[in-house]
Structure formats: structure tokens, C-alpha cells
Amino acid sequence: MNVKEIKKDFPILKKKIGANDLVYLDNAATSQKPVQVIEAIKDFYENHNANVHRGIHTLSEEASDMYEDARAVVAAFLGAAHPEEIVFTRGATESLNMAAFSWGNKNLKKGDKILLTVFEHHSNLVPWQIVAKNTGAELMYIKTGAQGEIDMAEYEKNLSPEVKIVCIAHASNVFGTVLDIKEMTRKAHAVGAVVCVDGAQSAPHIPVNVQSLGCDFYAFSAHKMLGPMGVGVLYTKKNLMENMIPCQFGGGMISEVSHKSAEWASPPEKFEAGTPDVAGAIGLSAAVKYLEKIGMEEVRKHEVELNKYTIEKLQSVEGIKIIGPKDPVKRTGLVSFYSEKVHAHDIASVLNSSGVAVRSGHHCAMPLHTELGIAATVRASYYIYNDHSDIDKLVEGVKKALKMLS
Ligand code: 7TS
């Protein structure tokens, strides 16, 4: 992978932070956008803008074709069996809310169990808490080992016929842990549970094939994978879609409406009420094409190498503790760490003064940080435009922060 060439596609990476070059290591929060994506969005608004699925004029047909083409591109990227299994949403959060409310409210009842890991992002936790309250179902948590790993025996202990859905991140946004979704899905299906995968931290970084994984739902955001903000995807296996109630109602999602009632359109329209973010879907499609040109295997290999380098370097910094798997292959492209003497926000602030952007805090996984007894961690997260020199600057900045503040 030619990082130098790739970097040229990202205008923002030329930015200076004070006197320093920007070193962007906050990709788990959002990625930067290449000109190819920016241009695709611009092209839509300059040359094709119209509402979709409602006009018979040329522009509306062009916009509709481009929107449906984006759906097909995403379906192929995920290895979905049918484009109709792809619902465009506002992002992973809305996708997970949709799975929870459209499937959960219809299919869960008192006595049922919802099984999650302790490291779920609030977006794959809070919607299920609400659905549990609505339906009387109970939440249960799979604990992790010391390095943020899921022990299959521990997982199996939690599976029973009462478990109706397993809600798990493909990759943790704090530990980085990559779960064996295929095996976990196989075991969940064996007790009759469906599996909802939060792919926010995996779709951008790891080759994904939903048919091979076997999962029933898979959610992600475009903005973490070179695409625009405000658009995301919920993949749902076709056979589940009929047995789900929409959670938003209005134009675009109906087949018949009378004064008293309405009939729903077929999926995916059933779940896409109102005018969608057409330019967003087109931007996502451009992002997918950009990633496919590099190859997701290459993206993954690159990030494993960056993980390896970061772990080696940070391990040699006295006072820094890394959380999550020590094996770089077992994590997605991110490394979280902390110091017992210097607060994570202070480390991040010193890093920022050298132009290095990282995230610090609880990363929207408060229950996990409470369980670990760590208030906050610093997280460096990578993408295709990062290289070893970025990590050298990170490590230099961390050393500087510890020297100044401990
Ligand atoms: N799930 C996971 C695992 C995430 O990491 C995030 C965002 C979401 C869901 C929600 O995605 P959204 O696009 O709908 O907001 N995670 C982070 C993060 O780690 N730092 O900022 C956002």
C-alpha cells in the first residue's frame, strides 16, 4: 500500500495545527475524506439533484438510479444476498436503534434475554435497554478476559433458549478486540437467537461478508470509512424484514394510505421514511469504491502492522498501560492506553500541541470503563493514510506529556 500516494487524495491532511503538520489518529471517531468522495457528492448536487422514487422527470430518474446503484455497491461490499437487505440510515446509531425497535419491540417479550458484551458502545446498548423496558426482556452481559477477549466457553455459558438476540460489536472501539462473529453466530443460531452485529469499527477496517459471517443484522456508519457524515447502513437478512415493524412513518415507506390506516411498502422502502440522504449514499458508494480499489485485505494488513509497531513502542514507555489484546492481529486498527499518573485528557492535550489528534475519555463505553476502574483512556486509531512516522510522533508526544505532568 502506497501511503504517500494515498495521502495526496486527502486535502485535510495538508492542514497545519499551529506550526505542526496534522497527524490524524482519531479515525475510530471519524475518518477523513478523499477528493473522490467529496467530488462524488459535489457532482450529485451540481448535476443530478432531485428527490428519489417520486418524479418521472429526468433528474429524478437519474437521482433514483444513482441512489439504488449506491445500495447495490454497498450490498456487494458486504456480500449481502440482495440489495433490498440494505437500508440506508443516518449512521450506525440509527441502524442499531432500528434493529432494536423494529425487531425488538415486535419479537421480544417478558422472560426473553438480550445478550451483549460488556464493551458495547452506548449505541449498541442504550437502545436495547429501552427495548428491554418496553418488552420486559432482560439484559445479560458476556464478560471479557484481562485483555478484552471473549472466551467462547464463557459465551456459551450465557447462551440458552431464552436468549433471543445477541448484540455484539464486531470490533470494540475501546479494546480494539475483533470478535469471531462467525463462530458466535453459529452458536447463537443453535439456541434459536438472532445476532445483531455493530460493525461501526469493522466495516471500515476488516473484510466483511455478512453471508459468510451468518449474522442477521449488521450496522455501520459511512463517516468512519471515508464517506460523509449523516449516512449509514443497516443490513438485515431478508427473512427477518417481514417480521419487523417500521420505526419511522411517513412518505416513501407506504404502499396504501387511507384516512384511518396505512400499508407498508416492501423493504427496504418500508424502513426509509422521508427523503433520504441521497448525496450521502452516493458519497458512501464512492468511499466503498475507493476502499475496494486498495483492497480490504490490504487495509487490514496495514493496520495490523501499525498496531504491532504502536504496541512495541508504547510498551517501552514507562508508566503507560495498554488495554486490549497484545496480539496485533486480534485487534482492529486502534490502541487505547492510560497512565496512572497523568489524566488521559492531559495527554491528549499535549499531543494536540504537537499536531497529533487522538481521542481521550470513555469513548461512549462508560460501563466498560467503570468495570475496568479506569476513568479514561487515550486512543490512537488508524487508517490508510497513517504510517510509522505518525506513531513515532504519537509516542514522542506521550513521553513529553508524562515528563511534563507526572
Ligand atoms: N458503535 C461503535 C462500536 C462505535 O465505535 C460507534 C462510534 C458507534 C457505534 C456509533 O456510531 P455513529 O456514527 O452512529 O456515531 N464510535 C465513536 C468513537 O469511538 N469515538 O467517536 C465515536
Side-chain angles (χ1 to χ4, degrees), residues 179-237:
L179 299 192
D180 184 348
I181 297 293
K182 192 171 181 167
E183 188 58 11
M184 290 179 83
T185 300
R186 203 179 59 76
K187 290 185 192 309
H189 285 173
V191 298
V194 301
V195 177
C196 175
V197 176
D198 174 356
Q201 298 295 348
S202 56
H205 306 286
I206 299 170
V208 170
N209 183 303
V210 285
Q211 286 188 80
S212 154
L213 294 175
C215 58
D216 302 281
F217 298 102
Y218 184 92
F220 67 92
S221 294
H223 71 90
K224 292 187 202 286
M225 51 185 290
L226 312 180
M229 289 183 171
V231 68
V233 165
L234 179 65
Y235 157 83
T236 306
K237 238 186 224 166

Side-chain angles (χ1 to χ4, degrees), residues 117-122 125 129 141 362 364-373:
T117 77
V118 291
F119 56 62
E120 292 314 310
H121 186 279
H122 296 163
L125 164 58
Q129 289 177 344
Y141 293 92
H362 53 64
C364 297
M366 266 163 104
L368 173 65
H369 281 78
T370 306
E371 194 153 306
L372 293 172

Side-chain angles (χ1 to χ4, degrees), residues 135-155:
T135 60
E138 185 193 340
L139 295 179
M140 289 171 62
Y141 293 92
I142 317 158
K143 289 199 173 5
T144 61
Q147 292 188 15
E149 73 280 16
I150 296 285
D151 175 42
M152 278 296 166
E154 171 70 23
Y155 172 57

